Amino acid sequence: MLPLYGLSAHDLEQMSDDEFWNYARERASVVSPNASREEDYQDHYLECDLSRGNCLIPLEAIVEVVPPPHRFALLPATPTWMRGIVVWRGETIAVIDLDKYLYGIGATPFDGMLLVANYADLTVGLLVPGVGLTTTVRFEQMKPSTWPSMFYTPMRAGVVRGVYAEAPVLDVSALLPDVVQQIGMAAHYG
Amino acid sequence: MSAFNHDELSAEDLEVLRAFHAMEGLAPDDPLSEVTMQANSLSHQLTTTEFSTTASEDDMLVLFTTEADEDITAMRSALQQLEQDDRLDSPSLKALKRTAHKVAGTAAAIGCDSMSAVAHYMETIIKMMEDGTIVYLTGLIALVHAVRALESTLQSIATLGYESKNPLLELEEEYKALDIDVQAAQAAHSVYISKYSSSEGAGGTLLRMASRDMVDTLPLPPSMRVDLQHINKLLEHTEKLIELDTPLENAQKQVDAALNELHTAQARLRRLEPLLSSLSVSLNTSADAMVASAGYASSSLFTRILYETAQGTGHMRQTTANALLQPALIQDSALWDEMEIDRFTETNVLAQSLTEAITDVATATSHLRQALAHLNAIVGQQVSQANVVHDDALLLRSAPFSTLVTRLKQAIEMMVGAQKERVQFEASGETIEIDQEMLEMLASPLLELVHSSVAEGLFFAKESGREDEQRLRIQLNAHAVSNEVTIEIGFSVAVSPGAAVALYETVYRLYGSISLQEHSEEEMGMTLSLRFPRSQRIIQGLLVRVDRQCVIVPVSQVQRIHYNKQQTGKADSQYVYQETFFAEWYHLTTLLGFVAENHFTGKTVRPALALQLDGPQIAVEVDELIGEVELVMKPLAAHLCRPGIASTAIDGSGNVLLVVNLPEMIKLRKTHQHAGEIAREAGTLNNQEASTPVAQPIGLVRRKILVADDSVYMRRSVNLTLNHEGYDVVEAEDGIQTLEQLSNESPDLLVLDIEMPNLNGYDVLNIIRSQRRFTGLKIVLLTSRSSEKHRRRGMELGAHAYLTKPCPQDVLLETIRSLLAE
């Protein structure tokens, strides 16, 4: 275990990549002892650009935000909103076009961003046209997902936790299992 | 079990017994009263013994206790043999496991839960021994305790009239003392099975295929047997890898030192630059003129200084600037003397410094090159050593082919029994190392194939009148080239194609291929040749392009590569792809289900991969054959698996490459293509089958049912029940007898147990499936194996119904009635 403080630039230079990132993660996890980190973290969301406005994705579910690769490997018999598969940290994961998944239309250009989301051992790449800032939203600030909105289709209402400032707040605990289930089912039913 | 002797009882004991008998209203001196009393005491437990309602309960109990006593005796002798054998592949262990299973099932059926639990513990202990969870000796001790517990429990039935739970409780205590958590092991096994069997849903054929694939690719148990030599080899190579750390660190230090040296030399050179600049300003005019006249580039300060130096030393410009530079500096260097520095101009001093700085840079660069070359060499050594360690790690998973050969040999011996001399079994290549998981996957279908061949060669030969004509010869040969293993299995009889279906499927799942070669008429028989990768971790494949995507086709599945040139009739016609040569051809894009583009536009050569499935030759065209690769293969997550695609590999650029299983893809495509025809044919058959019983006058024909079970109690119970319902019943106590009875008695329906000696229920099903004569036979599997895995396998092998013991009588009868369309 490396000390958290007092490392010089030279010390940092001497570190291997793994040591550096471990150190960076440890530093990133250091917060004020007075703050209840987990609770605060749960209320943090990342704004994502979609063709019909923004959506909010819980920050705690996003493992990494990376530029998408130039090409995805295609997999046969997949839903129309699945772009393909990529390798992420040695694991092959599905990449979906979040816009198309939510609204059933549109196609995210390749110059968007790839959000690697994880929930309960399920890892999926969410391709979005762009990402914005993080924002804090308390549960009580959200309107119920049944709140009439033109920004998401009722078909996917099950994956929306609520609506905040016209933006659907996605429920990753419902989204990822649904994505995985539909990708699995597509193998058998097309 | 030792016989109960009244004489051994004391007067007091007898008095107590009499009192009990009086309470029960039984005659104390009646020799039968003891068993009758047991029957009465157990009668409340017999609710689960549905078959026995038509039989005399005391007769059935006598039958059970007698059979259980025999089983315990058999267990004892098996344990004695195991002590001598001291090895896990001893046939005695299998016999013990089978007997324990039988006792567990029969005891549960009659309501003796403790006995059933003890026997079930024995099954678990054996499984733990096989998995390596417990060591052999501990397992043996645990089994000895279990047999004692069985004896004590059976004795309690005989002496007390009811089943005592004490032996079971004592056994559990003993297991605790031995640090064996048998209940946890049972629970883990249940979870393990349910986890991988619960995924099946109402998804039709494809879903079933996928689920079966999942079960077939179950991870191995947490432990496996490892050859000590392999471990030592791995350790030795790992140590060598570690030893390379120091040279690597030294090499890195040398590179660092050389880099520092270069940095210093560069710094010295940089320090000269301002001096040169200032000097160049003063000399600019004259130098420009000189340079212009000499033809040098005016922008080069170094060149100008060197020119001056050359002027100063009297050496004029040579034919090239470089040629001028070298001799001038060398000359200057020779003349240079620090003690007489006053004799030299500032230009001379600068030139000398520059010379030294350049020399330093050149020297440092040379050192750096050497250090880097040394580092590369060490890194190369480390990479190759890491590959060796990786190979060793893969080898840890492997076992010699002889382990499979032994199993096949034992299976044949057990099957043929007294007719051992009629079978000649030969094997070679037994030292070839193959992944244990793959060996395990191959074992079952190979056993099925061997069983079928033996049945064909020995048992069914009677009907064809060729019995004793010749001996059955089975030849098994394995050899390996690079990362590929070939197993050839030859038979002196033609085995029914149905017997090899499971083997074909298994080999395809292993990314391999299989070809059938029929022997000449004189020799008779056939040889199956199986090719598959030695490991499922590394894929050796052809990298091909389809549209804009690259995929990997395992080399083991490709027989050869053909090239089609659109202009036919040329001299190199051997490379011309002749469509007529192949019975079927596909494009890989179509097989993958991608949108087909115009693949052939503007192309003159089309590569096609020639495959041989269980029929004629097939060609699969691709857009481009890029080359051969060897990459690490990674299984896909379950939701990403597709028929024929279960793994990927990552290339050096981080691209995902699908590893395609062409035989599975083609099979799937054929299934889709012929789905309509198959459905129509099936409909016709069903109609025919349904009409058959109606044509026969019901009541006049007594249907014949064959009951195959190694438990006398179970056979008797089912026999009585079926007899009572008006069926003719014949019995068989093992797999071979079942086959004989099938041939001799031609029953309408078979009630079949799975766990039986000689041939188990699955083996029998396989043989039945391969024989046309049994097409109309209805089969009900009646077994205590209740997991979805067993049920699925049974149904896949052709059983029409699957019932688990203890089975309610009305369920069994209703199933039989419906199958016989009554």
Side-chain angles (χ1 to χ4, degrees), chain B residues 107-297:
Chain B
I110 203 166
C112 294
D113 294 337
S114 287
M115 271 192 81
S116 178
V118 173
H120 196 39
Y121 280 175
M122 290 181 72
E123 285 185 274
T124 309
I125 294 286
I126 294 170
K127 206 165 282 171
M128 290 167 87
M129 289 167 74
E130 288 170 341
D131 292 351
T133 316
I134 55 173
V135 294
Y136 188 84
L137 188 61
T138 311
L140 268 191
I141 294 168
L143 288 171
V144 169
H145 285 312
V147 171
R148 278 187 198 146
L150 277 181
E151 269 183 332
S152 303
T153 313
L154 190 61
Q155 205 163 11
S156 73
I157 296 171
T159 54
L160 302 173
Y162 62 86
E163 188 193 41
S164 170
K165 292 195 182 305
N166 288 341
L168 173 64
L169 297 174
E170 286 165 13
L171 181 68
E172 285 172 350
E173 287 302 315
E174 279 157 354
Y175 282 172
K176 272 184 197 170
L178 285 170
D179 200 21
I180 299 174
D181 195 348
V182 72
Q183 284 165 337
Q186 283 178 343
H189 182 68
S190 307
V191 169
Y192 183 73
I193 292 298
S194 64
K195 181 179 173 186
Y196 289 95
S197 59
S198 61
S199 59
E200 190 171 19
T205 314
L206 295 182
L207 193 56
R208 282 199 297 277
M209 277 173 67
S211 301
R212 188 191 59 205
D213 287 350
M214 251 178 87
V215 171
D216 287 338
T217 53
L218 283 179
L220 282 179
S223 57
M224 60 164 53
R225 269 176 274 171
V226 175
D227 191 322
L228 190 60
Q229 281 184 341
H230 292 165
I231 290 187
N232 289 337
K233 207 170 165 186
L234 174 65
L235 285 174
E236 184 190 330
H237 289 151
T238 308
E239 282 161 6
K240 279 187 182 167
L241 183 64
I242 293 167
E243 283 169 10
L244 283 171
D245 277 354
T246 311
L248 185 68
E249 281 171 14
N250 290 340
Q252 283 169 337
K253 280 177 188 167
Q254 282 175 20
V255 170
D256 286 343
L259 272 173
N260 286 334
E261 189 185 347
L262 185 61
H263 287 160
T264 310
Q266 284 173 338
R268 184 176 176 188
L269 204 54
R270 273 198 297 271
R271 278 198 300 274
L272 290 174
E273 195 172 2
L275 296 171
L276 286 168
S277 298
S278 60
L279 184 66
S280 69
V281 169
S282 63
L283 297 174
N284 199 21
T285 311
S286 58
D288 276 353
M290 283 186 291
V291 166
S293 65
Y296 297 131

Side-chain angles (χ1 to χ4, degrees), chain B residues 768-784:
Chain B
I768 288 172
R769 187 168 66 159
S770 67
Q771 302 292 320
R772 279 185 183 278
R773 75 194 82 177
F774 300 130
T775 307
L777 179 72
K778 303 294 178 192
I779 305 165
V780 178
L781 277 175
L782 180 61
T783 170
S784 52

